[in-house]
Amino acid sequence: MATPVLQRLVPEAPEALRELLDPRSGPLLPPVRAEIFGAQRFAQHGRSLGDTHRATRQAARRSAFFPRLAGNIGMLRRAHRYISAQAATGYDISPAAMWLLDNFHLIEAQLQAIHEGLPPGYFRALPVLLDPPLLGLPRIYGVAWAFVAHTDGAFDEELLVHYLGAYQETRELSLSEAWALPTTLRVVLVENLRRLAERLATHKAARELAHLCCDRIQTFTPQQLADVLAVLAARGVGGVFVAQLAQRLLDGAAGPPAGAAASAAVLQWLAEQHPEPAASQAQQNADQTSDNLSVSNAVNSLRAIGDADWPDIVARSSALMRLMLGSPLFSAEHSSTRDQTLHGIEKLARRSGRSELAVAQALLALMQPDPGAAPPPTNVATYWLQGSGRAALGRALGLNEGPWRAGWLAARRAALPLYLGALVLGVTALVDSLLTHHAVGGYGWLAALLMLGPASEAVVAVFNRLISESVQPDHLPRLALGEGLTPQQRVLVVMPVLLTDTAAIDHLLHRLQLHRLANAERQTQFALLSDYADASTQHLPGDAALLAHAVQGVRALNAALPPWGGAPHFILLHRERRPSASEGAWIGWERKRGKLEQLVQALASGDASAFIDLGVASRLAADTHYVLTLDSDTQLPPGRLRELLGVAAHPQNQPRLDASGQRLLGGYGILQPRIATPLHDAGTGTAYHWLFAGQCGVDPYSAASSEIYQDVFHEGTFTGKGLLHVATLHTLLGGRLPEGQVLSHDLLEGALVRCAAVSDITLIEDSPFHAEVAASRVHRWTRGDWQLLPLLLQPRRWRLRGVHRWKLVDNLRRSLVPPLALGLLLLALSGHGLTPGAALLLVLAAFAAGPLMGAVAGLAPSRDNLAKRHFYARAGAELLRAAGGGLWHLALLLQEAGAALDAIGRALWRTVVSRRHLLQWTTAAAAEAGASRGLRAAL
């Protein structure tokens, strides 16, 4: 064995040296290096390689290929430690070793990226080669190996594209192989670096061992040196050991002359083992020079691969991408939408047994624009890959998907009945189980009735959580808009506000300026959509001064910017007060809903008479097709405006009306982004905000999150901050809603013009910092929801679909949960219905089941290489927050139940009897300003 031989003959040899020279590690593998090819020779090689690369997809392989990442990492670190130790003790090291020492942080980062980017099935789905010498290996691995070998590890993007194009003249690569190429190139380069590092460190160890032997050469016999040489020869470094011995013993160039101490027999043995020292030295010098170049090439290539534009490389080298980019719509789409189409082609190719290129050709033959076709438009790939045209595409490919497709369409049509049926069964089972096992005394019917509130809330939370975890988020297609917005995407960004004082006006103008600075797009105008505060008369003494201050601020903003298209960048759209019989005061007509309705009318018809003519300061840009409405405390992060309009501009999302123009057949009239909570300044947070604001901050990668109504029913919920399609809102909502009755208009507007939840695009808005502000907001929402009851009872008149009616009913149900939960607890404490413990647990589950499920799921780390202490500290904090939120609701159940009953009672009284104060409303800023901060007030 290696260690006993070296330990016996050279006991002073360090353990690290013996480990490197241990032949049980196998002989050194040669670097991934071959003849260097130019462009013409590479093209010939690519075509010949394609001819020989017969491959197949195997459904189940007993031994799937996976690169030896763990072994490479271990050997690279071992070599790095050994070379570092040698450098620290003053030994000379080669330029290649210096490259490794100086860039090892980059190599480790690449190893980590490869490790995270290689799931177990990464290579399993790729075609494998059928012929030696790469039998059973992925075809793309052979392609990458040849490129690295014939460039000596140097990355040349143009040469790679040229090589791949020539290869595909004789053998088509699948799209998954093309996207696997960057990671596979990293794998091959790391494999090459491992071989080079092992070679450098082992050669260094062999030379060090030779020096140790020379230091006491008089104690060695030829047989003992032969035994040491046998060990090193098995490792592949015998020649290096002998050459170093000869250099030291015969000419003394590498250290103090030691030949005099060696016996004649040893010198004779050495001469036999090393007959041509000059040739050996020349070969070692040449190898060292080649290794220096290979290491530097590999390190630089790892950097270059990370910086390369791989979508562009794939587009230029993939025959499938070149074919699909011939479609104008596909070439204009965002890369994420292209990926959806390409993955659909890939899946259909596997199902049909056709090549991806054949599927794409059949798809493009069907994707012809047909202006007279029923929606959705037939030039959209999704129509053929996932929509109504899938059967026709399947027939074109000889694929019969009739039964499967019929079942899938039936499941989509039955989504709402299945969802509601599951909720009913879940609530029934929970109520029945609790009554069976925990019922005491009488009044079972009353207990069951009261249990419906908390039981339904718990079941809905659990079901929605399970669905959101199991259903893939609905990612809407979008255009890239790489050159910016076009006149077809002209947009007005508006903030509906009240002019109350000069400080507030300055803050609003500053916020409007921030929106433009973050989204300085062409074809974009920014506006304050303002009213005065409610008053007992039409005009108050300070009104004119407030309006003049706002106009002056808008002009100051425009002074620094040249006008475009005859209209300023910033404008002020202000309305006079009107008398309201319902409110008994002078107010802006229909408040925020009225402002938006009159703005849409002004943009659609050109009639802006609802707003005061302020000259240039109120001039709207012509042909504005979209309105983005934001609250005064909403932040619009950089680039979000273009992203939203990219979604809106895609033909699949464009609203399409029927012949009468009164019914929406497809597309969306409103796009609702996800609302994220910002990181707040240190010292400004409150315990209430920590409990209920959720995780703060925005994911910089904009990962899509689940929105159950969008994911399951392909319709989201409008919450008042989103992108509005002007023509659609004007056609479907203009003058349609009853005057003086609708307070919570967002949900109703989203239902009538079809709203999409765009969960991978975020706006930023903070949550209330104080419980009093949150309670005021919930009270207002509850009143607004119950005032929609007359509309809910007339679904045909308002053309409300089943999912819209369920949303309205669900809001009413949610408002009844606190009163019913309180009634259940009081009934249990009186000795009837459930036991107090069971009732308490049910109420707590109603308020905490959903958050607790998410917090418990968050306790399982998604990766192994996490800072465990920090991870579990954060996960524990989330668990504590979820439990704390439930306990908070339980502690304030009496107050919440009273507020809910008050809001419901007020709404019903005002809607049915008094017809007064139906539009009673307090702004979030006013509620925040009037909130009590002290402990006594809170108690």
Side-chain angles (χ1 to χ4, degrees):
M1 299 296 290
T3 301
V5 170
L6 294 182
Q7 192 168 6
R8 175 172 54 85
L9 297 177
V10 195
E12 64 273 25
E15 179 65 27
L17 182 148
R18 294 199 299 269
E19 285 182 1
L20 282 170
L21 298 177
D22 191 338
R24 287 175 295 186
S25 300
L28 294 178
L29 295 174
V32 182
R33 194 159 56 206
E35 179 187 354
I36 304 300
F37 288 162
Q40 185 176 359
R41 182 70 182 87
F42 235 132
Q44 295 175 356
H45 183 66
R47 285 188 285 270
S48 63
L49 201 63
D51 280 330
T52 62
H53 273 185
R54 295 191 308 118
T56 185
R57 290 184 182 272
Q58 296 188 13
R61 299 193 299 277
R62 294 182 180 178
S63 57
F65 165 79
F66 195 78
R68 53 171 182 171
L69 288 179
N72 286 347
I73 293 172
M75 177 50 71
L76 279 164
R77 288 175 178 163
R78 190 189 312 169
H80 178 259
R81 285 194 300 268
Y82 182 75
I83 295 173
S84 298
Q86 291 288 300
T89 55
Y91 282 95
D92 291 334
I93 58 175
S94 66
M98 285 298 299
W99 269 96
L100 285 173
L101 291 181
D102 293 343
N103 296 279
F104 195 74
H105 64 284
L106 169 68
I107 299 170
E108 283 210 311
Q110 293 293 325
L111 289 168
Q112 185 64 33
I114 294 171
H115 183 72
E116 293 178 354
L118 283 176
Y122 184 86
F123 286 104
R124 193 171 298 129
L126 301 178
V128 294
L129 294 168
L130 297 174
D131 302 308
L134 301 177
L135 175 65
L137 295 180
R139 177 171 58 190
I140 195 63
Y141 192 79
V143 172
W145 188 284
F147 181 76
V148 171
H150 292 292
T151 59
D152 195 14
F155 182 77
D156 186 321
E157 183 176 317
E158 293 301 322
L159 189 61
L160 176 63
V161 172
H162 189 66
Y163 163 57
L164 292 175
Y167 180 94
Q168 292 184 93
E169 291 177 14
T170 55
R171 186 76 59 183
E172 177 188 343
L173 289 173
S174 68
L175 188 65
S176 58
E177 290 178 294
W179 280 111
L181 184 59
T183 300
T184 309
L185 282 172
R186 285 190 177 97
V187 168
V188 177
L189 286 170
V190 168
E191 170 69 28
N192 197 26
L193 278 172
R194 174 250 170 83
R195 296 183 179 199
L196 290 164
E198 186 177 15
R199 177 183 169 106
L200 290 170
T202 309
H203 283 198
K204 188 72 175 173
R207 294 189 184 99
E208 183 184 359
L209 186 65
H211 285 297
L212 293 174
C213 293
C214 287
D215 289 343
R216 53 183 189 86
I217 192 64
Q218 69 277 5
T219 65
F220 282 92
T221 65
Q223 183 57 49
Q224 288 174 328
L225 289 176
D227 292 341
V228 173
L229 180 59
V231 171
L232 300 187
R235 189 72 171 106
V237 291
V240 176
F241 173 75
V242 170
Q244 192 64 36
L245 278 178
Q247 190 176 19
R248 177 81 179 272
L249 295 177
L250 299 181
D251 58 23
S263 66
V266 168
L267 294 176
Q268 177 63 31
W269 175 86
L270 184 58
E272 293 173 356
Q273 299 298 323
H274 195 59
E276 298 180 0
S280 174
Q281 186 62 40
Q283 183 61 48
Q284 286 193 34
N285 292 338
D287 290 344
Q288 188 177 60
T289 301
S290 298
D291 290 349
N292 294 341
L293 183 60
S294 295
V295 171
S296 64
N297 283 344
V299 170
N300 289 328
S301 292
L302 287 175
R303 287 196 182 95
I305 289 172
D307 296 336
D309 185 359
W310 282 102
D312 179 67
I313 293 174
V314 172
R316 292 161 57 198
S317 60
S318 168
L320 173 62
M321 282 293 292
R322 291 199 300 270
L323 177 64
M324 290 301 299
L325 287 171
S327 165
L329 178 58
F330 183 87
S331 62
E333 286 177 332
H334 191 272
S335 59
S336 61
T337 303
R338 290 183 187 177
D339 289 343
Q340 286 181 303
T341 299
L342 295 171
H343 289 320
I345 292 173
E346 188 178 12
K347 292 177 182 177
L348 198 54
R350 285 199 296 266
R351 287 179 60 87
S352 65
R354 302 286 191 92
S355 70
E356 293 172 358
L357 209 57
V359 173
Q361 289 168 344
L363 174 63
L364 291 175
L366 294 170
M367 279 177 56
Q368 300 299 325
D370 184 2
T378 57
N379 66 328
V380 176
T382 311
Y383 173 81
W384 303 101
L385 292 171
Q386 301 174 8
S388 303
R390 174 61 181 261
L393 179 58
R395 286 193 298 270
L397 297 171
L399 186 64
N400 181 19
E401 295 186 309
W404 175 85
R405 190 68 184 167
W408 183 81
L409 292 174
R412 282 197 59 178
R413 286 192 294 267
L416 182 62
L418 290 174
Y419 174 72
L420 296 180
L423 293 181
V424 170
L425 288 175
V427 172
T428 303
L430 179 57
V431 170
D432 180 69
S433 175
L434 290 173
L435 286 177
T436 302
H437 297 92
H438 300 281
V440 295
Y443 298 97
W445 61 271
L446 180 57
L449 183 63
L450 295 174
M451 288 169 64
L452 289 178
S456 65
E457 185 69 5
V459 169
V460 167
V462 170
F463 270 60
N464 287 357
R465 184 77 196 188
L466 292 174
I467 292 173
S468 66
E469 292 290 343
S470 56
V471 175
Q472 186 175 2
D474 187 21
H475 188 86
L476 294 178
R478 61 206 66 197
L479 300 184
L481 301 182
E483 301 299 323
L485 305 184
T486 67
Q488 287 70 37
Q489 288 101 45
R490 186 168 295 163
V491 60
L492 174 65
V493 180
V494 300
M495 290 168 47
V497 298
L498 295 178
L499 302 184
T500 55
D501 59 73
T502 56
I505 292 172
D506 291 339
H507 174 75
L508 295 172
L509 290 170
H510 177 65
R511 173 69 68 188
L512 201 66
Q513 185 181 28
L514 291 179
H515 291 334
R516 188 197 176 275
L517 289 174
N519 295 268
E521 298 281 352
R522 301 191 306 270
Q523 314 297 337
T524 305
Q525 206 173 18
F526 298 82
L528 290 182
L529 191 59
S530 61
D531 284 331
Y532 293 123
D534 296 1
S536 56
T537 60
Q538 183 176 12
H539 299 289
L540 292 179
D543 288 350
L546 289 175
L547 182 59
H549 186 81
V551 171
Q552 182 181 1
V554 167
R555 288 172 178 167
L557 292 178
N558 285 318
L561 298 169
W564 60 277
H569 291 272
F570 298 95
I571 60 174
L572 174 66
L573 300 173
H574 186 75
R575 302 187 304 174
E576 291 282 13
R577 297 184 185 95
R578 289 188 185 182
S580 171
S582 167
E583 301 306 299
W586 290 76
I587 69 172
W589 180 74
E590 290 294 305
R591 301 199 186 280
K592 177 183 174 182
R593 185 187 73 79
K595 279 189 284 195
L596 289 174
E597 182 174 325
Q598 289 177 330
L599 173 62
V600 167
Q601 180 181 357
L603 293 173
S605 64
D607 180 12
S609 58
F611 303 98
I612 299 176
D613 186 358
L614 302 173
V616 175
S618 62
R619 183 177 300 165
L620 287 164
D623 297 323
T624 298
H625 301 284
Y626 295 96
V627 169
L628 177 62
T629 174
L630 305 171
D631 287 346
S632 60
D633 56 347
T634 306
Q635 300 176 38
L636 182 63
R640 296 297 192 270
L641 184 61
R642 184 183 296 193
E643 292 176 16
L644 269 175
L645 285 160
V647 177
H650 195 278
Q652 181 173 316
N653 303 323
Q654 286 281 306
R656 297 175 292 278
L657 302 175
D658 63 2
S660 66
Q662 298 300 312
R663 183 166 172 262
L664 196 65
L665 297 177
Y668 300 97
I670 298 176
L671 298 181
Q672 173 64 61
R674 180 163 56 99
I675 306 298
T677 306
L679 295 170
H680 54 81
D681 297 333
T684 61
T686 64
Y688 181 84
H689 186 270
W690 178 78
L691 278 177
F692 294 105
Q695 293 187 357
C696 299
V698 180
D699 177 9
Y701 300 100
S702 298
S705 63
S706 177
E707 207 282 348
I708 181 171
Y709 289 110
Q710 183 67 43
D711 299 340
V712 178
F713 307 110
H714 302 287
E715 288 196 34
T717 303
F718 185 42
T719 60
K721 293 159 280 286
L723 189 70
L724 317 178
H725 190 270
V726 170
T728 303
L729 263 72
H730 180 65
T731 301
L732 298 180
L733 289 180
R736 185 178 178 189
L737 296 182
E739 186 173 343
Q741 299 181 32
V742 179
L743 180 63
S744 294
H745 55 92
D746 300 334
L747 177 59
L748 189 61
E749 290 168 344
L752 294 176
V753 299
R754 199 159 184 255
C755 172
V758 192
S759 64
D760 56 346
I761 299 177
T762 54
L763 303 179
I764 300 176
E765 186 175 292
D766 217 335
S767 296
F769 281 80
H770 303 282
E772 186 177 342
V773 177
S776 171
R777 185 167 66 170
V778 171
H779 188 276
R780 184 175 70 250
W781 288 346
T782 303
R783 285 193 294 109
D785 292 335
W786 281 89
Q787 286 177 198
L788 294 177
L789 187 60
L791 282 70
L792 178 61
L793 298 177
Q794 304 175 46
R796 291 190 176 181
R797 176 184 175 185
W798 300 103
R799 294 181 179 174
L800 296 175
R801 295 174 51 225
V803 66
H804 304 145
R805 297 197 295 272
W806 161 246
K807 288 182 183 180
L808 295 171
V809 169
D810 189 43
N811 282 354
L812 305 185
R813 177 202 61 79
R814 193 179 301 113
S815 66
L816 290 171
V817 170
L820 293 176
L822 179 63
L824 180 65
L825 287 177
L826 294 176
L827 184 66
L829 290 173
S830 69
H832 299 88
L834 297 181
T835 62
L840 191 65
L841 286 175
L842 178 60
V843 173
L844 188 59
F847 295 123
L852 278 174
M853 284 183 66
V856 171
L859 291 174
S862 58
R863 302 195 310 271
D864 295 331
N865 58 333
L866 291 173
K868 294 296 195 304
R869 180 178 299 178
H870 176 74
F871 171 79
Y872 283 113
R874 298 298 302 167
E878 291 301 315
L879 187 62
L880 181 64
R881 175 159 56 183
L887 293 174
W888 172 277
H889 284 299
L890 188 63
L892 269 69
L893 185 58
L894 179 61
Q895 186 270 342
E896 291 182 359
L901 290 175
D902 177 78
I904 294 170
R906 287 175 187 266
L908 293 178
W909 173 262
R910 294 170 179 178
T911 302
V912 179
V913 181
S914 72
R915 312 293 296 175
R916 299 291 302 276
H917 302 298
L918 289 169
L919 299 181
Q920 184 182 7
W921 178 65
T922 303
T923 65
E928 187 73 35
S932 302
R933 303 302 201 272
L935 177 61
R936 179 180 300 177
L939 292 176

